[in-house]
């Protein structure tokens, strides 16, 4: 079986370094808010090209706490609207509603699955205060165009970079475009911890100070609480693991791109729609980091069964759109035909830094051998 993603193999390649890092934390006797956290925050800020990185417990908290911090700073208030792609993972919207803000779901570009800049202007109202672009599947959104719209309308920009570590356009990385950016280091991400972990990047020193307090019970100094904060801290063990893995991120992205090139050049089945094959293509191939390789087909169930039978594991990201989830029943009547079609058709093929080109060719052959009635 060609695994969708072999985390065991990925971590095995770095096993000795990871064990040394973990032993260092264990032997230090300091497990929260110590040298490992500070080291990783500095390294990741430098990697992204920003002044500040604030480690938090997970990617959802990274987004949620940033919006919360803007409320504490008076830049947002209850009822303000946040424009977000309708086809994103639910975490992007949970962060909005958790803060008493209103998500405005906008249809994506079907070529990149990211915000379609042509749909944004018509979604802006006097209550719109934030653009929340998601670099979905590791494909960088059209940030120059989005920043132009944000500047025109005086909007804050919060990047959801949970799947885009290292993606860049003209040397400017994901996480360095917006007023702030939220990252996830969930184990399956391109830069993954050995558990839940996240971070916020920003050039805004005032925002960073508020975030550091909010993640630690609202405390800027022990037993003094400026805010009604939460416990959302990136612990020493995960920070040490991430420092090890960060050194290999770019090389692993290069390996991902080689696999993706094999898919893009080799899959010729007309029943399969490849990413970047239609719609508006702004960013160059090499600017994306390909967290996932997501195809579309009107025959998803049949294709998935066919691939499984040939020893190829696939996953669906994501089967149910946000406006059709029970959690958001109040917006279930929204008409979002592009989003709904995407969720009904998407299928993610195996992709990861330990996948071999030989395995990728087998995936290509399996895809090309598919036809209705072949499974």
């Amino acid at each position: 079986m060609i695994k969708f993603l072999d985390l065991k193999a990925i971590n095995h390649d770095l096993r000795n370094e990871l064990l040394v890092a973990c032993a260092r934390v264990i032997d230090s006797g300091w497990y929260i808010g110590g040298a490992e956290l500070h080291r990783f925050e500095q390294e990741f800020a430098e990697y992204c090209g920003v002044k500040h990185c604030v480690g938090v417990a997970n990617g959802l908290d990274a987004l949620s706490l940033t919006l919360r911090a803007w409320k504490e700073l008076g830049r947002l208030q209850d009822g303000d609207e946040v424009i977000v792609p309708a086809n994103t993972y639910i975490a992007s919207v949970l962060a909005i509603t958790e803060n008493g803000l209103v998500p405005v779901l906008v249809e994506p570009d079907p070529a990149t699955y990211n915000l379609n800049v042509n749909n944004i202007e018509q979604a802006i109202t006097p209550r719109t205060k934030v653009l929340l672009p998601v670099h979905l599947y590791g494909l960088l959104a059209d940030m120059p165009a989005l920043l132009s719209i944000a500047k025109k309308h005086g909007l804050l920009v919060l990047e959801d970079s949970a799947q885009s570590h290292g993606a860049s356009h003209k040397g400017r990385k994901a996480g360095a475009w917006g007023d702030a950016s939220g990252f996830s280091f969930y184990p399956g991400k391109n830069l993954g911890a050995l558990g839940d972990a996240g971070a916020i990047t920003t050039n805004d020193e005032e925002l960073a100070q508020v975030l550091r307090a909010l993640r630690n019970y609202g405390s800027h100094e022990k037993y003094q609480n400026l805010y009604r904060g939460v416990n959302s801290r990136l612990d020493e063990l995960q920070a040490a693991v991430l420092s090890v893995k960060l050194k290999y991120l770019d090389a692993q992205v290069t390996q991902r791109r080689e696999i993706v090139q094999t898919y893009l050049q080799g899959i010729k089945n007309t029943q399969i729609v490849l990413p970047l094959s239609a719609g508006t293509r702004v960013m160059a191939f090499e600017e994306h980091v390909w967290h996932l390789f997501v195809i579309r087909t009107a025959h998803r169930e049949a294709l998935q069964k066919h691939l499984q039978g040939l020893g190829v594991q696939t996953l669906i990201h994501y089967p149910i759109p946000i406006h059709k989830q029970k959690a958001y029943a109040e917006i279930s009547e929204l008409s979002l035909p592009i989003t709904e079609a995407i969720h009904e058709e998407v299928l993610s093929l195996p992709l990861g830094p330990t996948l071999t080109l030989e395995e990728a060719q087998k995936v290509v052959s399996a895809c090309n051998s598919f036809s209705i009635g072949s499974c």
Side-chain angles (χ1 to χ4, degrees):
M1 174 66 70
I2 298 175
K3 293 183 178 180
F4 175 77
L5 179 66
D6 193 341
L7 287 179
K8 185 176 180 180
I10 291 171
N11 291 320
H12 182 269
D13 288 346
L14 303 176
R15 186 175 188 275
N16 290 338
E17 286 188 71
L18 292 173
L19 288 175
V20 169
C22 291
R24 186 173 65 244
V25 174
I26 293 169
D27 293 342
S28 74
W30 195 299
Y31 309 116
I32 297 289
E36 301 292 344
L37 172 64
H38 300 314
R39 178 185 297 112
F40 175 71
E41 287 179 332
Q42 291 174 356
E43 291 171 348
F44 195 63
E46 182 178 348
Y47 177 82
C48 292
V50 297
K51 295 178 181 177
H52 305 283
C53 170
V54 181
V56 293
N58 53 69
L60 173 56
D61 283 0
L63 297 174
S64 180
L65 289 175
T66 301
L67 294 171
R68 166 75 186 282
W70 280 336
K71 290 183 73 175
E72 295 288 357
L73 290 167
R75 301 177 195 177
L76 294 177
Q77 60 184 358
D78 286 352
D80 284 344
E81 295 174 351
V82 181
I83 290 178
V84 62
N87 62 312
T88 185
Y89 182 57
I90 196 170
S92 308
V93 175
L94 288 172
I96 297 168
T97 56
E98 181 179 319
N99 281 286
L101 305 171
V102 179
V104 177
L105 304 184
V106 171
E107 293 271 53
D109 179 343
T112 64
Y113 308 109
N114 287 328
L115 270 175
N116 189 329
V117 296
N118 297 321
N119 295 336
I120 294 175
E121 292 267 11
Q122 63 191 40
I124 294 175
T125 75
R127 296 293 296 176
T128 306
K129 300 299 179 183
V130 182
L131 289 184
L132 203 163
V134 182
H135 307 303
L136 199 62
Y137 309 144
L139 303 184
L140 192 68
D142 186 358
M143 293 309 298
L146 290 169
L147 290 185
S148 178
I149 293 172
K151 183 178 180 180
K152 176 182 176 182
H153 295 277
L155 306 178
L156 294 163
V157 177
L158 172 56
E159 296 175 76
D160 184 338
S161 301
Q163 301 182 3
S164 61
H165 319 71
S168 67
H169 176 63
K170 295 183 178 179
R172 190 171 176 181
K173 284 189 170 70
W177 288 89
D179 296 282
S181 178
F183 285 88
S184 168
F185 304 121
Y186 181 78
K189 305 297 187 184
N190 290 19
L191 179 61
L194 298 182
D196 277 318
I200 301 143
T201 56
T202 184
N203 286 313
D204 185 336
E205 183 172 353
E206 185 179 30
L207 175 64
Q209 289 176 347
V210 175
L211 286 166
R212 291 190 179 101
L214 284 175
R215 72 177 176 184
N216 187 39
Y217 301 100
S219 175
H220 68 297
E221 185 176 334
K222 195 167 186 178
Y223 301 130
Q224 295 186 35
N225 301 76
L226 291 171
Y227 314 103
R228 298 178 184 181
V230 299
N231 178 0
S232 180
R233 299 176 296 204
L234 176 61
D235 67 63
E236 289 289 278
L237 197 62
Q238 299 301 347
V241 164
L242 289 167
S243 284
V244 170
K245 291 193 166 190
L246 181 59
K247 296 184 296 183
Y248 301 96
L249 176 58
D250 288 342
Q252 291 182 345
V253 167
T254 297
Q255 292 171 303
R256 287 175 177 272
R257 288 176 179 145
E258 291 175 354
I259 299 297
V260 170
Q261 285 283 30
T262 300
Y263 288 161
L264 290 175
Q265 294 171 5
I267 297 175
K268 304 297 184 182
N269 194 321
T270 58
Q271 297 176 82
I272 294 173
V273 178
L274 301 175
L276 306 183
S277 63
T280 304
R281 181 173 177 176
V282 177
M283 303 298 172
F285 165 85
E286 63 274 9
E287 295 179 312
H288 303 306
V289 293
W290 301 99
H291 170 58
L292 299 171
F293 187 84
V294 180
I295 61 174
R296 298 204 315 274
T297 177
H299 312 287
R300 180 172 67 192
E301 184 177 353
L303 176 58
Q304 189 171 37
K305 183 178 179 181
H306 171 79
L307 295 176
Q308 179 73 20
L310 293 176
V312 177
Q313 184 184 33
T314 59
L315 294 177
I316 299 173
H317 298 88
Y318 306 96
I320 305 173
I322 294 166
H323 69 293
K324 297 300 182 182
Q325 298 281 0
K326 277 190 175 182
Y328 289 103
E330 69 274 15
I331 58 173
S332 62
E333 298 304 315
L334 283 176
S335 177
L336 297 165
I338 296 175
T339 293
E340 290 170 18
I342 286 173
H343 284 268
E344 290 172 359
E345 296 178 353
V346 289
L347 187 67
S348 301
L349 299 184
L351 181 59
T354 60
L355 191 72
T356 67
L357 291 178
E358 180 181 6
E359 289 174 322
Q361 288 291 356
K362 290 180 179 178
V363 174
V364 168
S365 296
C367 287
N368 286 337
S369 67
F370 171 73
S371 63
I372 298 304
S374 66
C375 54

